């Protein structure tokens, strides 16, 4: 059977009892040495033991593309997934391709753990990426756009507009586009212009009348205008026209007296990998600001161009942008389809989207509100409770926790880690209010959160101005843990309340990302969290912990010990079971240990949304391991780990994937879940993932993924839909496992 424990079917009640805790020796301070990953410690290397990281990531993006190709998905949801596929590819080129190119420039010759050189990886990646581009463009142009037209939404070329609508488009150009566009010529007095990352531009080939003199000019498509404008003159239908098409057709307005030979779109992607080391920085904030400036001018790793661009213009761009042919991607039609997510927001088309999901108030909080409980701290005092976003409301739980702490006169101190948040985060505003009212507020801001550096710098500066104690963590380590602790004085005694999550304190992504968070006043956990903040803001290299697994010092060995315990149980002929849910499984040493567990007879299910370097189901190596991937309406983001542990059933949640960077190069937290009712919920949740027949993919030994098949007569089981139905039903009992 696939369930976590087929005989368990308890109520997620807020009982006072706590089932057997995780083994006492897990993660204790006896493992005080920092663990470093070395390929020399691997007994097995090569493609027969490990999937390639980059190719595994591309397989994940293929699964995302499958959502766009799914005819059972609402049409605008399918179009949104095309945008997600393209946005994912943009980031892939910036980070992964940029990183591989940096290795080549640095002369790296060492093989990856799967036995490939950087050059070999780039060659294989390009082959798969070109195939993916053809597939998503075929899906978008040949399937989705015609379906959109049947729904009364047309994307029309400027030259095909009727006169009335064309005049409206011209008026828009004259009033909204022409005044803000600056054409940039290239000649002796004007050097080739800087081309910003992911911007779309027109390469314009010009000719002086009566001569053979050729000129080049560039027009940047404004990023502060929509990709498409909706023409108001259209009756009973939605008519859209592309802004870039309007500009192209009106190009003569910019070059009066010149002959337009051609005007074609192109787009560049720049590397985000600069190879800086913050250990060498005297001022981390200054270093990150410098890196952001340098990133604007980083190496171009991809040039996308209109296939119809004249050959001499293609070569001209390649020469001036220092781009090789292997980094060139040619395509017919619109470029940069990440923007097609804008189509998702079209008014009046709700029937083409999923019904709007409104997160539910957690039943514990609802019950306490009905009982007129004075504050969230009294609720936590009665017992740990766990929220599951986006099914449970972030606003009425996690956000409320911080906002109440900021306004409560009995709260003396608030401490929080901040990896990513929104530009208008109510949590940050609450922390600033708390500091202004005299509370001790400390925030650990991770400046190195990729692509959020600028936002985090802005928040750090605002927080400091409000009197918040802001720190940037530890040199050489990213602070990826999701922690908040509140210190409150109650009848002369200080009480600590803690939130530990799997996701960021980001109110917007909490509507889309699946994450878990636990609220507790457990004294040992609160003490550990206090010690973590001492580590982050002060000097405490030998800090030890009572319950938490903290990376990079203790987590790797703690996980290793739990896997080894399952191996010993299996070898003794007793039940042994591991279920691990994460975003990515990459760490070679952990994978090797999982192979040993499989060989010993441990039954293992890995629920891995994205990259998975482990090869499952391989005879003599991983026959007892299955790998699942859930792709659907929400982004699976939580990390949850289950070990049968001799019947004690240890559950852990936290911020860490099983990746080298999480275990060895970041400050990460895993916390045990000990209350019986909360274990019941996690058991129920994991059982759903393992029996899903709508959103689940299963990895084969050759690395390919197949959709989980629905058996004849079997009801559809969609994890996201079942969990939405569950919280909306206001039921406290956990439904029985389907098997």
């Amino acid at each position: 059977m696939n369930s976590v424990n087929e005989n368990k079917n308890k109520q997620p009640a807020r009982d006072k009892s706590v089932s057997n805790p995780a083994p006492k020796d897990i993660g204790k301070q006896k493992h005080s040495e920092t663990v470093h990953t070395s390929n020399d410690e691997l007994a097995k290397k090569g493609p027969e033991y490990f999937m390639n990281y980059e190719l595994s990531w591309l397989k994940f993006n293929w699964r995302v593309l499958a959502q766009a190709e799914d005819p059972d998905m609402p049409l605008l949801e399918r179009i949104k997934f095309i945008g997600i596929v393209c946005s994912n590819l943009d980031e892939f080129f910036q980070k992964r391709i940029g990183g591989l190119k940096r290795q080549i420039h640095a002369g790296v010759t060492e093989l990856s753990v799967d036995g490939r050189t950087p050059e070999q990886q780039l060659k294989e990646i390009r082959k798969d990426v070109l195939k993916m581009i053809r597939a998503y463009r075929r899906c978008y142009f040949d399937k989705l756009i015609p379906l959109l037209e049947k729904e009364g939404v047309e994307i029309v070329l400027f030259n095909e507009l009727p006169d009335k609508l064309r005049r409206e488009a011209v008026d828009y150009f004259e009033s909204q586009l022409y005044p803000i566009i600056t054409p940039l010529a290239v000649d002796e007095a004007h050097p080739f212009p800087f081309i910003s990352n992911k911007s779309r531009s027109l390469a314009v080939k010009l000719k002086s009348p009566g001569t053979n003199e050729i000129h080049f000019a560039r027009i940047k498509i404004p990023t502060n205008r929509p990709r498409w404008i909706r023409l108001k003159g259209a009756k009973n239908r939605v008519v859209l026209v592309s802004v870039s098409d309007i500009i192209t057709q009106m190009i003569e307005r910019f070059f009066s007296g010149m002959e337009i030979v051609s005007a074609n779109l192109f787009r560049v992607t720049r590397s985000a990998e600069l190879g800086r080391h913050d250990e060498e920085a005297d001022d981390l904030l200054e270093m990150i600001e410098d890196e952001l400036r340098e990133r604007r001018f980083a190496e171009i790793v991809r040039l996308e161009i209109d296939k119809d661009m004249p050959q001499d213009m293609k070569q001209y761009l390649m020469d001036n942008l220092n781009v090789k042919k292997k980094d060139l991607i040619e395509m017919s039609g619109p470029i940069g389809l990440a923007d097609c997510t804008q189509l998702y927001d079209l008014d009046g088309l709700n029937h083409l989207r999923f019904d709007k999901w409104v997160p539910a108030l957690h039943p514990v909080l609802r019950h306490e509100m009905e009982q007129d409980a004075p504050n969230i701290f009294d609720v936590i005092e009665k017992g740990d409770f766990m929220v599951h976003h986006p099914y449970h409301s972030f606003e009425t739980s996690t956000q409320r926790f911080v906002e109440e702490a900021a306004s409560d006169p009995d709260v003396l101190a608030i401490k929080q880690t901040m990896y990513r948040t929104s530009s208008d985060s109510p949590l940050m505003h609450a922390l600033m209010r708390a500091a202004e009212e005299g509370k001790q507020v400390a925030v650990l801001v991770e400046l190195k959160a990729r692509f959020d550096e600028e936002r985090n710098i802005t928040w750090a500066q605002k927080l400091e101005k409000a009197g918040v104690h802001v720190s940037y963590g530890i040199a050489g380590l990213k602070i990826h843990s999701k922690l908040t602790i509140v210190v409150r004085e109650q009848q002369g005694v200080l009480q600590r309340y803690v939130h530990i999550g799997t996701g960021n304190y980001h109110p917007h992504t909490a509507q889309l990302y699946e994450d878990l968070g636990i609220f507790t006043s457990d004294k040992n956990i609160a003490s550990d969290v206090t010690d973590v903040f001492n580590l982050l803001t002060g000097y405490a290299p030998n800090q030890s912990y009572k319950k938490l697994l903290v990376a990079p010092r203790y987590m790797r060995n703690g996980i290793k010990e739990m896997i080894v315990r399952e191996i010993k149980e299996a070898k003794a002929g007793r039940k042994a079971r591991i279920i691990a849910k994460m975003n990515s499984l990459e760490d070679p040493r952990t994978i090797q240990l999982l192979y040993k567990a499989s060989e010993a007879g441990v039954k293992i299910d890995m629920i891995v949304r994205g990259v998975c370097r482990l090869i499952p189901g391989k005879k003599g190596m991983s026959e007892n391991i299955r790998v699942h991937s859930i792709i659907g309406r929400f982004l699976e983001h939580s990390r949850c780990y289950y070990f049968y542990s001799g019947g004690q059933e240890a559950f852990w949640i936290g911020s860490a994937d099983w990746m080298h960077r999480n275990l060895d190069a970041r400050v990460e937290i895993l916390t045990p879940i000990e209350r019986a009712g909360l274990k019941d919920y996690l058991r129920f949740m994991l059982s759903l993932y393992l029996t899903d027949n709508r959103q689940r993919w299963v990895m084969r030994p050759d690395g390919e993924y197949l959709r989980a098949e629905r058996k004849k007569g079997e009801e559809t089981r969609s994890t996201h839909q079942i969990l939405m139905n569950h919280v909306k039903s206001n039921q406290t009992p956990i439904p029985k496992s389907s098997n």
Side-chain angles (χ1 to χ4, degrees):
M1 291 187 178
N2 297 329
S3 62
V4 183
N5 188 330
E6 296 81 13
N7 298 319
K8 296 283 186 179
N9 181 35
K10 297 182 179 180
Q11 312 287 324
R14 299 179 34 129
D15 52 88
K16 296 292 183 181
S17 64
V18 177
S19 60
N20 292 329
K24 297 295 184 183
D25 58 338
I26 294 298
K28 285 300 181 84
Q29 56 267 32
K30 65 177 182 177
H31 303 294
S32 59
E33 73 280 1
T34 301
V35 182
H36 297 284
T37 296
S38 168
N39 283 344
D40 295 337
E41 299 175 37
L42 290 175
K44 302 172 181 178
K45 288 190 285 186
E48 63 270 36
Y49 300 110
F50 297 99
M51 296 295 298
N52 177 261
Y53 186 101
E54 327 300 337
L55 298 177
S56 180
W57 185 94
L58 288 172
K59 290 183 188 301
F60 157 67
N61 214 36
W62 278 108
R63 299 195 294 279
V64 176
L65 176 55
Q67 304 303 301
E69 295 174 331
D70 185 348
D72 293 330
M73 292 276 286
L75 179 56
L76 288 180
E77 303 290 344
R78 296 175 67 183
I79 290 174
K80 183 172 74 171
F81 272 108
I82 291 289
I84 293 171
V85 167
C86 296
S87 178
N88 285 348
L89 274 177
D90 285 346
E91 187 170 325
F92 178 75
F93 270 86
Q94 288 179 266
K95 293 171 65 175
R96 306 306 307 181
I97 302 298
L100 286 172
K101 285 182 171 291
R102 188 161 61 85
Q103 289 182 39
I104 293 172
H105 296 333
V108 173
T109 57
E110 183 180 357
L111 299 181
S112 61
V113 72
D114 52 279
R116 290 173 169 87
T117 65
E119 290 90 344
Q120 287 174 322
Q121 293 178 72
L122 286 175
K123 185 176 181 180
E124 292 184 60
I125 287 167
R126 179 173 174 83
K127 182 179 178 181
D128 200 27
V129 164
L130 291 176
K131 181 181 176 183
M132 184 178 293
I133 290 171
R134 289 192 293 270
Y136 80 66
R137 293 180 71 83
R138 184 167 57 245
C139 176
Y140 178 73
F141 292 110
D142 297 348
K143 297 178 183 178
L144 302 184
I145 293 302
L147 289 173
L148 202 58
E149 290 176 355
K150 289 182 180 179
E151 295 289 344
V153 180
E154 301 175 58
I155 300 177
V156 182
L157 293 174
F158 178 89
N159 285 337
E160 295 177 359
L161 290 170
D163 291 343
K164 180 182 177 181
L165 296 184
R166 189 180 303 181
R167 286 194 297 272
E168 184 180 341
V170 170
D171 288 344
Y172 181 87
F173 171 82
E174 295 291 350
S175 63
Q176 299 294 322
L177 298 174
Y178 185 73
I180 64 175
I181 291 174
T182 302
L184 297 175
V186 179
D187 54 30
E188 294 82 357
H190 303 92
F192 190 88
F194 170 74
I195 309 297
S196 55
N197 184 43
K198 297 191 292 186
S199 64
R200 292 183 306 134
S201 300
L202 285 170
V204 186
K205 184 178 180 181
L206 304 163
K207 184 178 178 183
S208 300
T211 73
N212 291 322
E213 189 176 357
I214 297 296
H215 303 274
F216 172 86
R218 176 256 187 154
I219 287 180
K220 180 178 179 179
I221 307 300
T223 56
N224 55 2
R225 288 294 180 266
R227 175 74 178 252
W228 297 272
I229 63 166
R230 183 171 179 172
L231 300 178
K232 300 176 182 178
K235 302 296 183 182
N236 303 319
R237 60 195 178 114
V238 177
V239 174
L240 306 173
V241 61
S242 165
V243 164
S244 59
D245 185 30
I246 296 173
I247 295 170
T248 303
Q249 298 306 319
M250 299 295 294
I251 199 80
E252 291 182 355
R253 285 284 281 116
F254 299 99
F255 305 102
S256 178
M258 298 292 286
E259 179 184 339
I260 309 297
V261 179
S262 64
N264 302 89
L265 283 171
F266 71 97
R267 181 175 184 262
V268 303
T269 309
R270 293 183 180 272
S271 173
E273 289 292 332
L274 299 180
R276 280 177 170 265
H277 299 287
D278 57 278
E279 304 98 309
E280 304 167 3
D282 294 325
D283 186 317
L284 183 59
L285 179 62
E286 183 179 326
M287 188 208 83
I288 297 299
E289 290 176 327
D290 289 344
E291 180 171 320
L292 288 173
R293 285 189 287 270
E294 289 179 28
R295 193 181 292 171
R296 292 184 62 244
F297 302 96
E299 176 189 10
I300 292 174
V301 293
R302 178 178 59 173
L303 172 60
E304 299 168 279
I305 64 172
D306 181 352
K307 199 171 186 177
D308 295 331
M309 183 181 290
Q311 184 59 41
D312 61 338
M313 291 298 288
K314 293 179 187 178
Q315 193 60 51
Y316 182 81
L317 282 178
M318 292 171 63
D319 292 342
N320 281 275
L321 294 172
N322 194 27
V323 171
K324 306 299 182 185
K325 190 171 182 179
K326 60 185 177 182
D327 300 316
L328 180 69
I329 296 178
E330 301 183 52
M331 53 189 70
S332 298
I335 292 172
L337 291 183
D339 294 340
C340 74
T341 51
Q342 294 177 21
L343 297 173
Y344 180 81
D345 296 321
L346 285 170
D347 293 334
L349 299 172
N350 288 341
H351 65 292
L352 301 180
R353 290 183 278 261
F354 286 129
D355 291 340
K356 186 177 180 181
W357 170 247
V358 179
L361 180 65
H362 191 283
V364 167
L365 297 172
R366 183 178 63 251
H367 173 74
E368 298 300 334
M369 286 179 63
E370 293 169 354
Q371 300 299 316
D372 295 323
N375 55 59
I376 197 169
F377 307 110
D378 287 349
V379 179
I380 299 171
E381 193 77 40
K382 293 179 181 180
D384 298 356
F385 71 94
M386 187 166 56
V387 290
H388 194 183
H389 306 306
Y391 310 107
H392 295 133
S393 168
F394 179 88
E395 181 180 1
T396 60
S397 58
T398 310
Q399 183 176 317
R400 174 188 168 188
F401 179 59
V402 177
E403 290 180 333
E404 282 198 26
S407 60
D408 190 327
D410 294 328
V411 168
L412 303 179
I414 310 170
K415 301 179 183 181
Q416 186 177 84
T417 58
M418 195 271 279
Y419 190 75
R420 301 186 198 276
T421 192
S422 60
S423 58
D424 57 347
S425 172
L427 288 85
M428 296 298 106
H429 288 293
L431 293 172
M432 289 190 289
R433 288 196 305 272
E436 290 165 354
E437 292 177 9
K439 293 178 170 61
Q440 293 291 312
V441 182
V443 178
L444 192 291
V445 179
E446 179 48 75
L447 296 181
K448 303 183 294 296
R450 186 67 59 85
F451 305 127
D452 277 80
E453 297 97 337
E454 189 170 357
R455 179 181 295 168
N456 287 3
I457 288 172
T458 299
W459 274 122
Q461 294 168 339
K462 288 181 178 179
L463 290 165
E464 285 185 327
K465 287 180 181 178
V468 174
H469 302 298
V470 177
S471 59
Y472 307 126
I474 303 168
L477 298 174
K478 277 190 179 181
I479 315 305
H480 192 246
S481 51
K482 325 297 183 183
L483 300 173
T484 301
I485 186 167
V486 173
V487 183
R488 190 169 185 259
E489 187 173 28
Q490 299 169 189
Q491 299 178 339
V493 177
L494 298 188
Q495 176 66 44
R496 289 175 288 192
Y497 300 91
V498 171
H499 172 268
I500 300 175
T502 67
N504 297 306
Y505 293 110
H506 196 308
H508 299 329
T509 58
Q511 310 295 315
L512 302 171
Y513 289 17
E514 177 273 338
D515 272 303
L516 295 162
I518 185 170
F519 294 89
T520 182
S521 58
D522 180 283
K523 288 181 171 52
N524 287 327
I525 289 179
S527 175
D528 282 354
V529 172
T530 299
D531 290 341
V532 170
F533 277 102
N534 290 342
L535 169 71
L536 297 178
T537 62
Y539 296 102
N542 293 323
Q543 188 69 68
S544 61
Y545 307 94
K546 300 178 180 69
K547 284 192 174 182
L548 300 183
L549 283 181
V550 181
R553 198 173 185 84
Y554 305 116
M555 187 179 291
R556 175 179 287 281
N557 278 349
I559 291 170
K560 177 181 178 181
E561 287 177 12
M562 288 189 280
I563 296 174
V564 168
R565 178 175 280 108
E566 298 301 317
I567 293 174
K568 290 178 179 177
E569 290 291 302
K571 288 183 175 179
R574 294 186 290 269
K575 179 177 178 178
R577 187 83 167 94
I578 298 172
I579 302 175
K581 179 183 183 296
M582 65 197 77
N583 296 328
S584 297
L585 173 59
E586 171 272 343
D587 183 63
R589 290 166 59 191
T590 303
I591 291 172
Q592 181 174 261
L593 191 57
L594 290 171
Y595 288 154
K596 291 180 180 178
S598 173
E599 292 168 5
V602 181
K603 300 296 183 183
I604 303 171
D605 280 286
M606 308 301 299
I607 305 165
V608 186
R609 184 193 78 217
V611 170
C612 180
R613 302 191 76 170
L614 179 147
I615 300 174
K618 190 169 182 178
K619 188 174 181 181
M621 182 178 78
S622 56
E623 291 171 89
N624 289 310
I625 305 177
R626 297 191 309 164
V627 173
H628 316 259
S629 179
I630 300 290
I631 306 290
R633 176 172 183 168
F634 303 125
L635 181 78
E636 289 294 325
H637 192 254
S638 68
R639 291 88 167 178
C640 179
Y641 303 107
Y642 167 88
F643 301 88
Y644 186 68
S645 194
Q648 294 183 44
E649 292 196 294
F651 288 86
W652 299 77
I653 68 168
S655 56
D657 294 322
W658 285 355
M659 302 180 70
H660 159 60
R661 71 184 188 191
N662 298 95
L663 299 176
D664 300 319
R666 291 183 172 187
V667 176
E668 303 275 14
I669 301 296
L670 289 180
T671 183
I673 302 299
E674 297 176 331
R675 293 200 66 169
L678 304 186
K679 286 187 171 186
D680 290 343
Y681 183 82
L682 293 178
R683 190 181 299 108
F684 160 62
M685 179 191 80
L686 293 175
S687 292
L688 287 179
Y689 288 121
L690 298 180
T691 58
D692 185 299
N693 59 21
R694 178 70 180 89
Q695 301 170 227
R696 181 167 58 100
W697 296 75
V698 180
M699 185 179 176
R700 301 188 315 195
D702 63 0
E704 297 300 320
Y705 285 79
L706 296 178
R707 281 189 184 272
E709 293 184 1
R710 183 165 55 129
K711 298 175 183 177
K712 187 175 181 180
E714 186 178 50
E715 290 185 3
T716 299
R717 290 195 299 275
S718 166
T719 298
H720 295 169
Q721 191 61 54
I722 290 172
L723 287 170
M724 286 190 289
N725 293 343
H726 177 64
V727 300
K728 282 297 188 184
S729 68
N730 296 327
Q731 294 178 8
T732 298
I734 293 297
K736 292 182 179 180
S737 173
S738 300
N739 52 342

